Amino acid sequence: MTEREKMLAGLLYDRGEPELLDQWHRAKDLVRDYNRLDSRDLAEKDRILSRLLGGRGRNLWITPPFYVDYGCNIFFGDNCEVNLNCVFLDDNRITVGDNALIAPGVQIYTAFHPAHPRDRFGPPREDGSFSFCKTLTAPVTIGDNVWIGGGAVILPGVSIGDNVVIGAGSVVTKDIPSDTIACGNPCRVVRENRPGEADKEELP
């Protein structure tokens, strides 16, 4: 099993393996180029996103700056908007459904590490070179028609259902069911999300 296969399977893997490092550097170069583009250069933005992302539907708008780990593990549906300064650490798959609205400063993590330092770090390398800490992953899935408020953090392994609003600043540690509004740290459902019942005091 390759290190990439271990990564996507949620097993401990070596982030410093040459193939993964090549993919990591490639993604960093692509997002650097994306983030430096003239704001009106839509054609070049489209070209870079086609090379960077694992897949996308129609009408994707990502406002730079935008940051990823690998890029190729990120998948968007149709009509999605990602506002500025978002971070997608896609060591495992990040799937975003149709009509997503992701506010500024949202962070989506799929990577985490063993809690005990002896499990995070192996013995020092004999040549003294840098060694990445041990890493595990779990995918993140976001359904259709989801609005994630500014500064929210979504942790590895979380699934968010359809028609969900996540309040600004929330830390989403567990799954959120469809048709709900949820907020807080840790993020919890505060009520159902029904048409015509929006309360701006509960929204991000």
PDB file of all heavy atoms in Angstrom, residues 86-123:
ATOM      1  N   CYS A  86     -10.102  31.110   3.020  1.00  0.00           N
ATOM      2  CA  CYS A  86     -10.522  29.783   3.480  1.00  0.00           C
ATOM      3  C   CYS A  86      -9.373  28.791   3.342  1.00  0.00           C
ATOM      4  O   CYS A  86      -8.531  28.904   2.446  1.00  0.00           O
ATOM      5  CB  CYS A  86     -11.737  29.303   2.700  1.00  0.00           C
ATOM      6  SG  CYS A  86     -13.248  30.198   3.141  1.00  0.00           S
ATOM      7  N   VAL A  87      -9.362  27.803   4.253  1.00  0.00           N
ATOM      8  CA  VAL A  87      -8.313  26.789   4.309  1.00  0.00           C
ATOM      9  C   VAL A  87      -8.965  25.411   4.230  1.00  0.00           C
ATOM     10  O   VAL A  87      -9.778  25.062   5.083  1.00  0.00           O
ATOM     11  CB  VAL A  87      -7.498  26.911   5.609  1.00  0.00           C
ATOM     12  CG1 VAL A  87      -6.460  25.795   5.698  1.00  0.00           C
ATOM     13  CG2 VAL A  87      -6.838  28.270   5.716  1.00  0.00           C
ATOM     14  N   PHE A  88      -8.594  24.651   3.204  1.00  0.00           N
ATOM     15  CA  PHE A  88      -9.094  23.285   3.046  1.00  0.00           C
ATOM     16  C   PHE A  88      -7.895  22.334   3.130  1.00  0.00           C
ATOM     17  O   PHE A  88      -7.141  22.199   2.168  1.00  0.00           O
ATOM     18  CB  PHE A  88      -9.768  23.101   1.687  1.00  0.00           C
ATOM     19  CG  PHE A  88     -11.137  23.718   1.539  1.00  0.00           C
ATOM     20  CD1 PHE A  88     -11.498  24.867   2.224  1.00  0.00           C
ATOM     21  CD2 PHE A  88     -12.055  23.146   0.685  1.00  0.00           C
ATOM     22  CE1 PHE A  88     -12.747  25.437   2.070  1.00  0.00           C
ATOM     23  CE2 PHE A  88     -13.314  23.697   0.520  1.00  0.00           C
ATOM     24  CZ  PHE A  88     -13.669  24.838   1.218  1.00  0.00           C
ATOM     25  N   LEU A  89      -7.706  21.682   4.274  1.00  0.00           N
ATOM     26  CA  LEU A  89      -6.618  20.720   4.418  1.00  0.00           C
ATOM     27  C   LEU A  89      -7.125  19.351   3.977  1.00  0.00           C
ATOM     28  O   LEU A  89      -7.648  18.568   4.765  1.00  0.00           O
ATOM     29  CB  LEU A  89      -6.113  20.694   5.866  1.00  0.00           C
ATOM     30  CG  LEU A  89      -5.532  22.016   6.385  1.00  0.00           C
ATOM     31  CD1 LEU A  89      -4.876  21.800   7.745  1.00  0.00           C
ATOM     32  CD2 LEU A  89      -4.536  22.624   5.401  1.00  0.00           C
ATOM     33  N   ASP A  90      -6.943  19.079   2.696  1.00  0.00           N
ATOM     34  CA  ASP A  90      -7.556  17.922   2.045  1.00  0.00           C
ATOM     35  C   ASP A  90      -6.619  16.722   2.008  1.00  0.00           C
ATOM     36  O   ASP A  90      -6.393  16.136   0.954  1.00  0.00           O
ATOM     37  CB  ASP A  90      -8.018  18.289   0.632  1.00  0.00           C
ATOM     38  CG  ASP A  90      -6.890  18.731  -0.278  1.00  0.00           C
ATOM     39  OD1 ASP A  90      -6.085  19.583   0.132  1.00  0.00           O
ATOM     40  OD2 ASP A  90      -6.806  18.222  -1.405  1.00  0.00           O
ATOM     41  N   ASP A  91      -6.138  16.310   3.169  1.00  0.00           N
ATOM     42  CA  ASP A  91      -5.360  15.070   3.218  1.00  0.00           C
ATOM     43  C   ASP A  91      -6.258  13.866   2.971  1.00  0.00           C
ATOM     44  O   ASP A  91      -5.781  12.800   2.587  1.00  0.00           O
ATOM     45  CB  ASP A  91      -4.651  14.947   4.562  1.00  0.00           C
ATOM     46  CG  ASP A  91      -3.705  16.124   4.794  1.00  0.00           C
ATOM     47  OD1 ASP A  91      -4.205  17.253   4.947  1.00  0.00           O
ATOM     48  OD2 ASP A  91      -2.486  15.917   4.804  1.00  0.00           O
ATOM     49  N   ASN A  92      -7.531  14.005   3.217  1.00  0.00           N
ATOM     50  CA  ASN A  92      -8.550  13.057   2.791  1.00  0.00           C
ATOM     51  C   ASN A  92      -9.565  13.849   1.972  1.00  0.00           C
ATOM     52  O   ASN A  92      -9.417  15.060   1.775  1.00  0.00           O
ATOM     53  CB  ASN A  92      -9.187  12.358   3.994  1.00  0.00           C
ATOM     54  CG  ASN A  92      -9.759  10.997   3.655  1.00  0.00           C
ATOM     55  OD1 ASN A  92     -10.446  10.821   2.649  1.00  0.00           O
ATOM     56  ND2 ASN A  92      -9.469  10.012   4.498  1.00  0.00           N
ATOM     57  N   ARG A  93     -10.590  13.186   1.529  1.00  0.00           N
ATOM     58  CA  ARG A  93     -11.546  13.796   0.608  1.00  0.00           C
ATOM     59  C   ARG A  93     -12.415  14.834   1.316  1.00  0.00           C
ATOM     60  O   ARG A  93     -12.953  14.578   2.402  1.00  0.00           O
ATOM     61  CB  ARG A  93     -12.415  12.696  -0.006  1.00  0.00           C
ATOM     62  CG  ARG A  93     -13.363  13.176  -1.093  1.00  0.00           C
ATOM     63  CD  ARG A  93     -14.121  11.984  -1.677  1.00  0.00           C
ATOM     64  NE  ARG A  93     -15.080  12.411  -2.670  1.00  0.00           N
ATOM     65  CZ  ARG A  93     -15.013  12.119  -3.956  1.00  0.00           C
ATOM     66  NH1 ARG A  93     -14.011  11.381  -4.404  1.00  0.00           N
ATOM     67  NH2 ARG A  93     -15.942  12.544  -4.790  1.00  0.00           N
ATOM     68  N   ILE A  94     -12.559  15.992   0.694  1.00  0.00           N
ATOM     69  CA  ILE A  94     -13.522  17.016   1.089  1.00  0.00           C
ATOM     70  C   ILE A  94     -14.539  17.123  -0.036  1.00  0.00           C
ATOM     71  O   ILE A  94     -14.189  17.475  -1.173  1.00  0.00           O
ATOM     72  CB  ILE A  94     -12.852  18.377   1.329  1.00  0.00           C
ATOM     73  CG1 ILE A  94     -11.867  18.298   2.502  1.00  0.00           C
ATOM     74  CG2 ILE A  94     -13.913  19.451   1.588  1.00  0.00           C
ATOM     75  CD1 ILE A  94     -11.058  19.561   2.703  1.00  0.00           C
ATOM     76  N   THR A  95     -15.801  16.805   0.268  1.00  0.00           N
ATOM     77  CA  THR A  95     -16.867  16.832  -0.727  1.00  0.00           C
ATOM     78  C   THR A  95     -17.881  17.898  -0.332  1.00  0.00           C
ATOM     79  O   THR A  95     -18.406  17.879   0.786  1.00  0.00           O
ATOM     80  CB  THR A  95     -17.568  15.468  -0.823  1.00  0.00           C
ATOM     81  OG1 THR A  95     -16.599  14.454  -1.109  1.00  0.00           O
ATOM     82  CG2 THR A  95     -18.614  15.479  -1.925  1.00  0.00           C
ATOM     83  N   VAL A  96     -18.130  18.820  -1.248  1.00  0.00           N
ATOM     84  CA  VAL A  96     -19.075  19.912  -1.015  1.00  0.00           C
ATOM     85  C   VAL A  96     -20.181  19.789  -2.059  1.00  0.00           C
ATOM     86  O   VAL A  96     -19.900  19.716  -3.261  1.00  0.00           O
ATOM     87  CB  VAL A  96     -18.383  21.284  -1.124  1.00  0.00           C
ATOM     88  CG1 VAL A  96     -19.379  22.405  -0.874  1.00  0.00           C
ATOM     89  CG2 VAL A  96     -17.207  21.372  -0.153  1.00  0.00           C
ATOM     90  N   GLY A  97     -21.433  19.772  -1.615  1.00  0.00           N
ATOM     91  CA  GLY A  97     -22.552  19.589  -2.527  1.00  0.00           C
ATOM     92  C   GLY A  97     -22.905  20.847  -3.301  1.00  0.00           C
ATOM     93  O   GLY A  97     -22.141  21.819  -3.352  1.00  0.00           O
ATOM     94  N   ASP A  98     -24.083  20.843  -3.910  1.00  0.00           N
ATOM     95  CA  ASP A  98     -24.548  21.965  -4.721  1.00  0.00           C
ATOM     96  C   ASP A  98     -24.957  23.152  -3.842  1.00  0.00           C
ATOM     97  O   ASP A  98     -25.385  22.994  -2.701  1.00  0.00           O
ATOM     98  CB  ASP A  98     -25.763  21.554  -5.552  1.00  0.00           C
ATOM     99  CG  ASP A  98     -25.450  20.464  -6.571  1.00  0.00           C
ATOM    100  OD1 ASP A  98     -24.267  20.296  -6.920  1.00  0.00           O
ATOM    101  OD2 ASP A  98     -26.404  19.776  -7.003  1.00  0.00           O
ATOM    102  N   ASN A  99     -24.830  24.343  -4.417  1.00  0.00           N
ATOM    103  CA  ASN A  99     -25.349  25.581  -3.815  1.00  0.00           C
ATOM    104  C   ASN A  99     -24.759  25.846  -2.434  1.00  0.00           C
ATOM    105  O   ASN A  99     -25.459  26.276  -1.507  1.00  0.00           O
ATOM    106  CB  ASN A  99     -26.886  25.525  -3.730  1.00  0.00           C
ATOM    107  CG  ASN A  99     -27.527  25.197  -5.059  1.00  0.00           C
ATOM    108  OD1 ASN A  99     -27.196  25.803  -6.079  1.00  0.00           O
ATOM    109  ND2 ASN A  99     -28.415  24.212  -5.064  1.00  0.00           N
ATOM    110  N   ALA A 100     -23.470  25.599  -2.281  1.00  0.00           N
ATOM    111  CA  ALA A 100     -22.804  25.853  -1.007  1.00  0.00           C
ATOM    112  C   ALA A 100     -22.378  27.312  -0.923  1.00  0.00           C
ATOM    113  O   ALA A 100     -21.917  27.896  -1.901  1.00  0.00           O
ATOM    114  CB  ALA A 100     -21.584  24.957  -0.854  1.00  0.00           C
ATOM    115  N   LEU A 101     -22.521  27.885   0.261  1.00  0.00           N
ATOM    116  CA  LEU A 101     -22.030  29.228   0.555  1.00  0.00           C
ATOM    117  C   LEU A 101     -21.080  29.101   1.740  1.00  0.00           C
ATOM    118  O   LEU A 101     -21.504  28.778   2.854  1.00  0.00           O
ATOM    119  CB  LEU A 101     -23.191  30.162   0.887  1.00  0.00           C
ATOM    120  CG  LEU A 101     -22.834  31.602   1.266  1.00  0.00           C
ATOM    121  CD1 LEU A 101     -22.048  32.283   0.149  1.00  0.00           C
ATOM    122  CD2 LEU A 101     -24.095  32.388   1.605  1.00  0.00           C
ATOM    123  N   ILE A 102     -19.801  29.323   1.483  1.00  0.00           N
ATOM    124  CA  ILE A 102     -18.775  29.175   2.507  1.00  0.00           C
ATOM    125  C   ILE A 102     -18.172  30.547   2.752  1.00  0.00           C
ATOM    126  O   ILE A 102     -17.537  31.131   1.876  1.00  0.00           O
ATOM    127  CB  ILE A 102     -17.713  28.152   2.076  1.00  0.00           C
ATOM    128  CG1 ILE A 102     -18.388  26.780   1.867  1.00  0.00           C
ATOM    129  CG2 ILE A 102     -16.599  28.047   3.115  1.00  0.00           C
ATOM    130  CD1 ILE A 102     -17.458  25.688   1.382  1.00  0.00           C
ATOM    131  N   ALA A 103     -18.372  31.073   3.950  1.00  0.00           N
ATOM    132  CA  ALA A 103     -18.021  32.446   4.297  1.00  0.00           C
ATOM    133  C   ALA A 103     -16.517  32.595   4.527  1.00  0.00           C
ATOM    134  O   ALA A 103     -15.773  31.605   4.556  1.00  0.00           O
ATOM    135  CB  ALA A 103     -18.816  32.870   5.530  1.00  0.00           C
ATOM    136  N   PRO A 104     -16.043  33.830   4.707  1.00  0.00           N
ATOM    137  CA  PRO A 104     -14.608  34.048   4.890  1.00  0.00           C
ATOM    138  C   PRO A 104     -14.040  33.322   6.112  1.00  0.00           C
ATOM    139  O   PRO A 104     -14.705  33.170   7.137  1.00  0.00           O
ATOM    140  CB  PRO A 104     -14.509  35.575   5.087  1.00  0.00           C
ATOM    141  CG  PRO A 104     -15.707  36.124   4.413  1.00  0.00           C
ATOM    142  CD  PRO A 104     -16.781  35.114   4.635  1.00  0.00           C
ATOM    143  N   GLY A 105     -12.801  32.891   5.969  1.00  0.00           N
ATOM    144  CA  GLY A 105     -12.070  32.341   7.089  1.00  0.00           C
ATOM    145  C   GLY A 105     -12.492  30.964   7.544  1.00  0.00           C
ATOM    146  O   GLY A 105     -12.081  30.523   8.624  1.00  0.00           O
ATOM    147  N   VAL A 106     -13.285  30.263   6.753  1.00  0.00           N
ATOM    148  CA  VAL A 106     -13.687  28.898   7.123  1.00  0.00           C
ATOM    149  C   VAL A 106     -12.500  27.956   6.954  1.00  0.00           C
ATOM    150  O   VAL A 106     -11.753  28.043   5.976  1.00  0.00           O
ATOM    151  CB  VAL A 106     -14.881  28.444   6.275  1.00  0.00           C
ATOM    152  CG1 VAL A 106     -15.144  26.943   6.450  1.00  0.00           C
ATOM    153  CG2 VAL A 106     -16.126  29.240   6.642  1.00  0.00           C
ATOM    154  N   GLN A 107     -12.348  27.054   7.906  1.00  0.00           N
ATOM    155  CA  GLN A 107     -11.273  26.061   7.855  1.00  0.00           C
ATOM    156  C   GLN A 107     -11.874  24.662   7.909  1.00  0.00           C
ATOM    157  O   GLN A 107     -12.667  24.364   8.806  1.00  0.00           O
ATOM    158  CB  GLN A 107     -10.313  26.270   9.031  1.00  0.00           C
ATOM    159  CG  GLN A 107      -9.688  27.653   9.042  1.00  0.00           C
ATOM    160  CD  GLN A 107      -8.800  27.872  10.251  1.00  0.00           C
ATOM    161  OE1 GLN A 107      -7.935  27.058  10.546  1.00  0.00           O
ATOM    162  NE2 GLN A 107      -9.015  28.972  10.949  1.00  0.00           N
ATOM    163  N   ILE A 108     -11.484  23.844   6.949  1.00  0.00           N
ATOM    164  CA  ILE A 108     -11.951  22.453   6.887  1.00  0.00           C
ATOM    165  C   ILE A 108     -10.732  21.551   6.984  1.00  0.00           C
ATOM    166  O   ILE A 108      -9.830  21.624   6.141  1.00  0.00           O
ATOM    167  CB  ILE A 108     -12.729  22.182   5.588  1.00  0.00           C
ATOM    168  CG1 ILE A 108     -13.933  23.122   5.474  1.00  0.00           C
ATOM    169  CG2 ILE A 108     -13.183  20.728   5.548  1.00  0.00           C
ATOM    170  CD1 ILE A 108     -14.718  22.978   4.186  1.00  0.00           C
ATOM    171  N   TYR A 109     -10.703  20.730   8.019  1.00  0.00           N
ATOM    172  CA  TYR A 109      -9.558  19.860   8.269  1.00  0.00           C
ATOM    173  C   TYR A 109      -9.945  18.396   8.063  1.00  0.00           C
ATOM    174  O   TYR A 109     -10.986  17.951   8.557  1.00  0.00           O
ATOM    175  CB  TYR A 109      -9.064  20.004   9.710  1.00  0.00           C
ATOM    176  CG  TYR A 109      -8.660  21.388  10.137  1.00  0.00           C
ATOM    177  CD1 TYR A 109      -8.801  21.782  11.459  1.00  0.00           C
ATOM    178  CD2 TYR A 109      -8.147  22.314   9.232  1.00  0.00           C
ATOM    179  CE1 TYR A 109      -8.425  23.046  11.876  1.00  0.00           C
ATOM    180  CE2 TYR A 109      -7.768  23.579   9.641  1.00  0.00           C
ATOM    181  CZ  TYR A 109      -7.912  23.943  10.969  1.00  0.00           C
ATOM    182  OH  TYR A 109      -7.541  25.192  11.385  1.00  0.00           O
ATOM    183  N   THR A 110      -9.104  17.659   7.363  1.00  0.00           N
ATOM    184  CA  THR A 110      -9.270  16.201   7.306  1.00  0.00           C
ATOM    185  C   THR A 110      -8.115  15.483   7.987  1.00  0.00           C
ATOM    186  O   THR A 110      -8.150  14.266   8.115  1.00  0.00           O
ATOM    187  CB  THR A 110      -9.371  15.704   5.852  1.00  0.00           C
ATOM    188  OG1 THR A 110      -8.124  15.950   5.176  1.00  0.00           O
ATOM    189  CG2 THR A 110     -10.501  16.384   5.098  1.00  0.00           C
ATOM    190  N   ALA A 111      -7.090  16.206   8.407  1.00  0.00           N
ATOM    191  CA  ALA A 111      -5.899  15.594   8.994  1.00  0.00           C
ATOM    192  C   ALA A 111      -5.882  15.807  10.504  1.00  0.00           C
ATOM    193  O   ALA A 111      -6.294  16.853  11.002  1.00  0.00           O
ATOM    194  CB  ALA A 111      -4.641  16.182   8.378  1.00  0.00           C
ATOM    195  N   PHE A 112      -5.396  14.791  11.228  1.00  0.00           N
ATOM    196  CA  PHE A 112      -5.172  14.920  12.665  1.00  0.00           C
ATOM    197  C   PHE A 112      -4.015  14.005  13.049  1.00  0.00           C
ATOM    198  O   PHE A 112      -3.466  13.288  12.212  1.00  0.00           O
ATOM    199  CB  PHE A 112      -6.445  14.596  13.459  1.00  0.00           C
ATOM    200  CG  PHE A 112      -6.988  13.211  13.273  1.00  0.00           C
ATOM    201  CD1 PHE A 112      -6.823  12.240  14.252  1.00  0.00           C
ATOM    202  CD2 PHE A 112      -7.688  12.851  12.119  1.00  0.00           C
ATOM    203  CE1 PHE A 112      -7.339  10.961  14.090  1.00  0.00           C
ATOM    204  CE2 PHE A 112      -8.201  11.574  11.949  1.00  0.00           C
ATOM    205  CZ  PHE A 112      -8.024  10.621  12.934  1.00  0.00           C
ATOM    206  N   HIS A 113      -3.626  14.042  14.314  1.00  0.00           N
ATOM    207  CA  HIS A 113      -2.397  13.370  14.744  1.00  0.00           C
ATOM    208  C   HIS A 113      -2.627  12.593  16.031  1.00  0.00           C
ATOM    209  O   HIS A 113      -3.539  12.933  16.810  1.00  0.00           O
ATOM    210  CB  HIS A 113      -1.278  14.392  14.964  1.00  0.00           C
ATOM    211  CG  HIS A 113      -1.097  15.341  13.833  1.00  0.00           C
ATOM    212  ND1 HIS A 113      -0.490  14.969  12.647  1.00  0.00           N
ATOM    213  CD2 HIS A 113      -1.451  16.638  13.667  1.00  0.00           C
ATOM    214  CE1 HIS A 113      -0.476  15.997  11.831  1.00  0.00           C
ATOM    215  NE2 HIS A 113      -1.062  17.022  12.417  1.00  0.00           N
ATOM    216  N   PRO A 114      -1.826  11.554  16.276  1.00  0.00           N
ATOM    217  CA  PRO A 114      -1.921  10.855  17.556  1.00  0.00           C
ATOM    218  C   PRO A 114      -1.741  11.833  18.719  1.00  0.00           C
ATOM    219  O   PRO A 114      -0.942  12.767  18.643  1.00  0.00           O
ATOM    220  CB  PRO A 114      -0.775   9.841  17.502  1.00  0.00           C
ATOM    221  CG  PRO A 114      -0.542   9.617  16.039  1.00  0.00           C
ATOM    222  CD  PRO A 114      -0.821  10.937  15.386  1.00  0.00           C
ATOM    223  N   ALA A 115      -2.485  11.619  19.808  1.00  0.00           N
ATOM    224  CA  ALA A 115      -2.461  12.557  20.918  1.00  0.00           C
ATOM    225  C   ALA A 115      -1.135  12.522  21.674  1.00  0.00           C
ATOM    226  O   ALA A 115      -0.635  13.566  22.104  1.00  0.00           O
ATOM    227  CB  ALA A 115      -3.615  12.264  21.881  1.00  0.00           C
ATOM    228  N   HIS A 116      -0.565  11.347  21.847  1.00  0.00           N
ATOM    229  CA  HIS A 116       0.651  11.258  22.647  1.00  0.00           C
ATOM    230  C   HIS A 116       1.880  11.570  21.795  1.00  0.00           C
ATOM    231  O   HIS A 116       2.004  11.065  20.676  1.00  0.00           O
ATOM    232  CB  HIS A 116       0.806   9.875  23.277  1.00  0.00           C
ATOM    233  CG  HIS A 116       1.779   9.863  24.412  1.00  0.00           C
ATOM    234  ND1 HIS A 116       3.148   9.831  24.221  1.00  0.00           N
ATOM    235  CD2 HIS A 116       1.582   9.911  25.749  1.00  0.00           C
ATOM    236  CE1 HIS A 116       3.752   9.848  25.392  1.00  0.00           C
ATOM    237  NE2 HIS A 116       2.830   9.901  26.341  1.00  0.00           N
ATOM    238  N   PRO A 117       2.806  12.403  22.305  1.00  0.00           N
ATOM    239  CA  PRO A 117       3.957  12.798  21.480  1.00  0.00           C
ATOM    240  C   PRO A 117       4.823  11.635  21.029  1.00  0.00           C
ATOM    241  O   PRO A 117       5.412  11.697  19.943  1.00  0.00           O
ATOM    242  CB  PRO A 117       4.726  13.759  22.397  1.00  0.00           C
ATOM    243  CG  PRO A 117       4.220  13.512  23.768  1.00  0.00           C
ATOM    244  CD  PRO A 117       2.798  13.076  23.617  1.00  0.00           C
ATOM    245  N   ARG A 118       4.896  10.569  21.817  1.00  0.00           N
ATOM    246  CA  ARG A 118       5.708   9.428  21.396  1.00  0.00           C
ATOM    247  C   ARG A 118       5.108   8.728  20.183  1.00  0.00           C
ATOM    248  O   ARG A 118       5.813   8.069  19.421  1.00  0.00           O
ATOM    249  CB  ARG A 118       5.872   8.437  22.552  1.00  0.00           C
ATOM    250  CG  ARG A 118       6.882   8.883  23.585  1.00  0.00           C
ATOM    251  CD  ARG A 118       7.086   7.847  24.652  1.00  0.00           C
ATOM    252  NE  ARG A 118       5.856   7.575  25.382  1.00  0.00           N
ATOM    253  CZ  ARG A 118       5.784   6.830  26.475  1.00  0.00           C
ATOM    254  NH1 ARG A 118       6.868   6.262  26.970  1.00  0.00           N
ATOM    255  NH2 ARG A 118       4.634   6.639  27.092  1.00  0.00           N
ATOM    256  N   ASP A 119       3.763   8.862  20.026  1.00  0.00           N
ATOM    257  CA  ASP A 119       3.103   8.278  18.856  1.00  0.00           C
ATOM    258  C   ASP A 119       3.135   9.225  17.662  1.00  0.00           C
ATOM    259  O   ASP A 119       3.019   8.797  16.522  1.00  0.00           O
ATOM    260  CB  ASP A 119       1.653   7.926  19.187  1.00  0.00           C
ATOM    261  CG  ASP A 119       1.551   6.894  20.284  1.00  0.00           C
ATOM    262  OD1 ASP A 119       2.420   5.996  20.334  1.00  0.00           O
ATOM    263  OD2 ASP A 119       0.610   6.988  21.103  1.00  0.00           O
ATOM    264  N   ARG A 120       3.254  10.529  17.930  1.00  0.00           N
ATOM    265  CA  ARG A 120       3.301  11.504  16.836  1.00  0.00           C
ATOM    266  C   ARG A 120       4.653  11.519  16.138  1.00  0.00           C
ATOM    267  O   ARG A 120       4.730  11.752  14.940  1.00  0.00           O
ATOM    268  CB  ARG A 120       3.002  12.919  17.358  1.00  0.00           C
ATOM    269  CG  ARG A 120       1.560  13.200  17.635  1.00  0.00           C
ATOM    270  CD  ARG A 120       1.277  14.690  17.648  1.00  0.00           C
ATOM    271  NE  ARG A 120       2.050  15.428  18.618  1.00  0.00           N
ATOM    272  CZ  ARG A 120       1.705  15.599  19.890  1.00  0.00           C
ATOM    273  NH1 ARG A 120       0.604  15.027  20.346  1.00  0.00           N
ATOM    274  NH2 ARG A 120       2.455  16.313  20.702  1.00  0.00           N
ATOM    275  N   PHE A 121       5.718  11.317  16.893  1.00  0.00           N
ATOM    276  CA  PHE A 121       7.067  11.427  16.339  1.00  0.00           C
ATOM    277  C   PHE A 121       7.830  10.126  16.562  1.00  0.00           C
ATOM    278  O   PHE A 121       7.862   9.599  17.664  1.00  0.00           O
ATOM    279  CB  PHE A 121       7.838  12.576  17.002  1.00  0.00           C
ATOM    280  CG  PHE A 121       7.248  13.928  16.746  1.00  0.00           C
ATOM    281  CD1 PHE A 121       6.379  14.504  17.658  1.00  0.00           C
ATOM    282  CD2 PHE A 121       7.539  14.618  15.584  1.00  0.00           C
ATOM    283  CE1 PHE A 121       5.830  15.754  17.422  1.00  0.00           C
ATOM    284  CE2 PHE A 121       6.992  15.859  15.337  1.00  0.00           C
ATOM    285  CZ  PHE A 121       6.135  16.428  16.257  1.00  0.00           C
ATOM    286  N   GLY A 122       8.435   9.637  15.498  1.00  0.00           N
ATOM    287  CA  GLY A 122       9.324   8.497  15.614  1.00  0.00           C
ATOM    288  C   GLY A 122      10.690   8.930  16.115  1.00  0.00           C
ATOM    289  O   GLY A 122      10.889  10.101  16.475  1.00  0.00           O
ATOM    290  N   PRO A 123      11.630   8.020  16.135  1.00  0.00           N
ATOM    291  CA  PRO A 123      12.986   8.397  16.537  1.00  0.00           C
ATOM    292  C   PRO A 123      13.597   9.379  15.538  1.00  0.00           C
ATOM    293  O   PRO A 123      13.249   9.368  14.352  1.00  0.00           O
ATOM    294  CB  PRO A 123      13.738   7.060  16.542  1.00  0.00           C
ATOM    295  CG  PRO A 123      12.945   6.168  15.637  1.00  0.00           C
ATOM    296  CD  PRO A 123      11.519   6.595  15.781  1.00  0.00           C
TER     297      PRO A 123
END
